[in-house]
Amino acid sequence: MCGIVGYVGQRNATGVIVSGLQRLEYRGYDSAGVALYSSHRKALVRVRSVGKIAALVSRIEKDVPDQDGLDYTLGIGHTRWATHGAPTEANAHPHFSRSGEFAVAHNGIIENYVALKERLVQKGYVFTSETDTEVLAHLIEECYEGDLHRAVAAALEQVEGTYGIAVISSRHPGLIVAARKGSPIAIGVGSGETIVASDISAIINYTKKVVFLNDEDIATITAEGLDISSLKNVPVSRELTHIDWSLGQIEKGGFEHFMLKEIHEQPQALANAIRGRLLEKDGTTHLGGIRMTSAEIARIRHITIAACGTSYYAGMVGKYFFEDLAGLSTDIEQAAEFRYRNPIIERDTLLLAISQSGETADTIEAVREGMRKGATVLGICNVVGSTIARETERGVYLHAGPEIGVASTKAFSAQVAVLAMLAIVFGRARRLSGSTGRDLVRELLRAPEVAAAALEQEPAIKVIAEKYARAEHMFFLGRGYMYPVALEGALKLKEISYIHAEGYHAAELKHGPIALLDEHVPVVVAVPDLHGKSKTISNMQECRARSSPVIAIATAGDDEVNRYSNDVIRVPRCLDFLTPIPVVIVEQLLAYHIAKCRGCPIDQPRNLAKSVTVE
Ligand code: G6P
């Protein structure tokens, strides 16, 4: 949720940290701060500011002397998404200990902070913020006996909850100590410099060699490299991962927003997701990372999918795939609910955890619960080396490239493509014939071209967006494969335009929500020329009878829907299982252009975070 960057090396740490924070700003942007070690003053210097990184930058320019010199070669920074305490300067990280000698940037939540705080207050510690994090800074100082690593470990031993932290001290001018439990920490190993961050996008400008910490790892980081041990001080070794994301991929590349860039990247993201995985001749797919034999696949009797947000809706599309294409009964569960219920997991259950970031706290816990109960667990993630990817040890990467826009777009279509490939492999081990498999594979090969055709509708979508941008409420309807897509369309719109939007099954509308319809409530109906279309047309008529304007997303050349719609947006004709991709692209563009007309901060919508690493 929040972002952390730390630097130790020969460069000016301020520049590295600020540019890293800018890349992480999508993770949290209500306040930000840096703490630097001044070799001149032999003390820590801190600057914090409410608002976006730009505000922090002007404060640094004003308040940090010598910022262009090499006075600061060690520092940590943080961009915050508030949990405990409002977004104020006092609550912004890094937090200092009482003496000002220790600074901490923290992601996660210290659950027992009230008890810890009471104890520290009794000992005379004065708190200057309402955050849970400040207890860590004081605890580290309290535990310090000359060794920063040991002091951090001793402080963390007392803590319950989750953390990804970076700590510096004026007593150790060349050192950062970082640790994780539940919140990601990656360490980029450069030549003569080391960068620690909560997300690799802050690192890859400097090095592609990255080490990811596991839970309860604690790292001692210097300009020369790092040593990792457990909290109990037992040395551990973690692999060096080579990251192949380029800098260009994490920049806007001429687009006004990351979201628009990522919407337009979908043909490429889909091409990458399916590359080398479709076996046309055999009518099946090859997903090496699942590491299951055909016999193991054939033994699976039930699939449970756990995910959050957009990944959850992609999972819902997946449920239809597994039932339709593989004949496998499938449940889709909100990960937060799954982990706290007592889910029934038989030995022949496959748990699929879907997460773009691979860091969503509830989905990680669903994975752990599934493993405890003996399920075979596969992760479907985009971010290489993320927690879910590592803990599941098997799964499928999306290869969609970095997704920076808070509202997920290209990850959804890549997830749909990956789920279709999985369903084909599972289907072929069960009831799907070679010839149907070949038809499906050939259709999936068209995914990039189908996505590109949907993108061509952008000028028409823009005009429609302008027409409805002032609405205060909107509905999204669909049935069959279009039902989860309607839910995702409503989510996109509410996330970035703040219009109240609801997704419903087209038939369900009349069981209540239809009471809300009138001429001010537009209804977006996904009604491609597929099985069930005539029933959806009846539902469109129900909306029109209540004076609601109807915006249809319909198949190119299908003029029947025109009569029942105020506006029509076209998607290319394709088999039913592929239709979610072009339709969702239309919905993404509609949400984007409506939000733009309303002047919303599209890449950083209020209150949202890209990666939700707390419960
Ligand atoms: C947050 C994001 C959503 C995302 C969801 C799940 O809520 O704002 O865009 O869909 O988390 O994220 P994941 O990384 O697990 O797919």
Side-chain angles (χ1 to χ4, degrees), residues 26 158 162 170 178 206 248 358 473 493 547 551:
Y26 71 97
Q158 302 176 49
T162 55
S170 54
Y206 305 97
H473 308 275
L493 187 71
S547 308
I551 304 151

Side-chain angles (χ1 to χ4, degrees), residues 453-454 457 552-559 561-562 568-572 586:
Q457 300 304 307
I553 305 175
T555 306
D558 175 11
D559 291 333
V561 292
N562 299 6
V568 185
I569 307 169
R570 300 294 174 180
V571 289
V586 165

Side-chain angles (χ1 to χ4, degrees), residues 100 116 145 164 208 255 326 352 507 509 519 600 607:
L116 292 170
E145 288 172 349
K208 300 280 169 62
F255 285 91
L352 278 184
L509 190 76
E519 69 275 24
C600 297
N607 305 342

Side-chain angles (χ1 to χ4, degrees), residues 308-311 355-357 360 406 408 495 609-610 612:
C308 302
T310 290
S311 296
S355 173
Q356 185 283 128
S357 62
T360 300
V406 169
S408 183
E495 279 178 310
K610 179 73 183 154
V612 179

Side-chain angles (χ1 to χ4, degrees), residues 155-231:
L156 292 176
E157 289 281 10
Q158 302 176 49
V159 152
E160 287 162 23
T162 55
Y163 53 79
I165 55 166
V167 182
I168 56 171
S169 167
S170 54
R171 308 254 192 134
H172 300 271
L175 187 64
I176 303 175
V177 174
R180 82 157 263 170
K181 185 179 175 193
S183 267
I185 290 286
I187 301 161
V189 184
S191 99
E193 60 184 356
T194 313
I195 301 122
V196 52
S198 50
D199 183 324
I200 52 174
S201 44
I203 295 176
I204 59 171
N205 196 12
Y206 305 97
T207 174
K208 300 280 169 62
K209 288 188 285 180
V210 174
V211 175
F212 295 98
L213 295 191
N214 280 5
D215 275 353
E216 307 205 353
D217 281 357
I218 168 161
T220 308
I221 299 161
T222 64
E224 279 66 53
L226 69 154
D227 289 310
I228 308 176
S229 66
S230 69
L231 283 185

Side-chain angles (χ1 to χ4, degrees), residues 1-5 11 14-29 32 52-54 56-57 77-79 195-208 245-253 258 261-262 402-406 603-604 610-611:
M1 318 224 27
C2 313
I4 294 176
V5 192
R11 296 180 213 237
T14 327
V16 179
I17 293 168
V18 166
S19 77
L21 290 178
Q22 273 157 342
R23 295 201 191 284
L24 297 188
E25 200 173 15
Y26 71 97
R27 295 180 65 108
Y29 31 82
K52 300 195 174 171
I53 306 297
L56 178 71
V57 171
H78 188 265
T79 176
I195 301 122
V196 52
S198 50
D199 183 324
I200 52 174
S201 44
I203 295 176
I204 59 171
N205 196 12
Y206 305 97
T207 174
K208 300 280 169 62
W245 286 359
S246 70
L247 198 58
Q249 282 179 299
I250 57 165
E251 287 175 344
K252 282 192 209 151
F258 280 112
K261 174 181 175 242
E262 287 157 8
E403 192 180 68
I404 311 284
V406 169
D603 282 333
Q604 294 165 347
K610 179 73 183 154
S611 181

